[in-house]
Amino acid sequence: MNEPVPGCEGGCTCRAVRYRFSPPPLIVHCCHCRWCQRESGTAFALNLLIESERLQLLNGRVDLVETPSASGKGQRIARCPECRVALWSHYAGFNELVSFVRVGTLDEPDRFPPDVHIYTESKQPWVVLPHEARKFTQFYKSREVWSADSLERREALRR
């Protein structure tokens, strides 16, 4: 990652932590599960999935905070040690090979709208999804939703 890509940098509220990632993301999830609603304090969580090797900490450091998850396997949330903003997470299924970056922490979050809405069975009734949006009442099979390139990149992580 030599050249910065516009819109692919972000950080916390107090600017103590700054990061950059090399696009494109594997996929962008908009999760409407009750767990994400509780953790985010809002109607859904918007995360882009990226290989952790493509995520570069530009300055500062993060505290990795172990928290429970709906799966029972837990997650590690990277938080700014100063303002405590959550920047990304690592879930047990991918360990630390994939980072779930909070889109709202990007300098230009509008560059990464959701590719898919998940756990819509528990979405807030006042959230109206676009008719053409890909949506699933729970989760989905990656091979049916992810692009061929993203599937290939995911497979490379498993080697």
Side-chain angles (χ1 to χ4, degrees), residues 62-110:
V62 295
D63 285 343
L64 289 173
V65 180
E66 299 278 343
T67 62
S69 66
S71 70
K73 297 177 183 175
Q75 66 172 309
R76 296 179 65 170
I77 302 175
R79 292 185 175 276
C80 169
E82 303 300 319
C83 65
R84 306 308 294 163
V85 164
L87 299 160
W88 62 81
S89 291
H90 300 286
Y91 287 91
F94 284 110
N95 295 318
E96 298 210 1
L97 296 173
V98 173
S99 296
F100 287 62
V101 176
R102 305 297 198 275
V103 172
T105 66
L106 293 169
D107 295 342
E108 296 179 36
D110 50 318

Side-chain angles (χ1 to χ4, degrees), residues 20-96:
R20 173 187 305 148
F21 72 93
S22 175
L26 295 163
I27 194 163
V28 181
H29 283 167
C30 186
C31 184
H32 298 269
C33 78
R34 296 290 186 202
W35 201 276
C36 283
Q37 290 177 30
R38 186 179 310 106
E39 277 221 353
S40 67
T42 189
F44 50 81
L46 188 59
N47 293 307
L48 68 81
L49 282 65
I50 192 79
E51 297 94 325
S52 295
E53 66 188 19
R54 291 179 177 226
L55 181 63
Q56 176 187 15
L57 195 58
L58 298 174
N59 67 277
R61 65 176 182 81
V62 295
D63 285 343
L64 289 173
V65 180
E66 299 278 343
T67 62
S69 66
S71 70
K73 297 177 183 175
Q75 66 172 309
R76 296 179 65 170
I77 302 175
R79 292 185 175 276
C80 169
E82 303 300 319
C83 65
R84 306 308 294 163
V85 164
L87 299 160
W88 62 81
S89 291
H90 300 286
Y91 287 91
F94 284 110
N95 295 318
E96 298 210 1

Side-chain angles (χ1 to χ4, degrees), residues 25-30 47 49 113-119 132-152 154:
L26 295 163
I27 194 163
V28 181
H29 283 167
C30 186
N47 293 307
L49 282 65
D115 294 312
V116 62
H117 293 264
I118 56 176
Y119 295 99
E132 68 279 1
R134 294 189 84 174
K135 37 194 170 282
F136 296 86
T137 57
Q138 293 189 352
F139 205 69
Y140 59 84
K141 293 184 170 129
S142 298
R143 70 180 177 278
E144 296 172 4
V145 176
W146 288 29
S147 70
D149 178 61
S150 290
L151 288 170
E152 192 174 303
R154 183 185 71 172

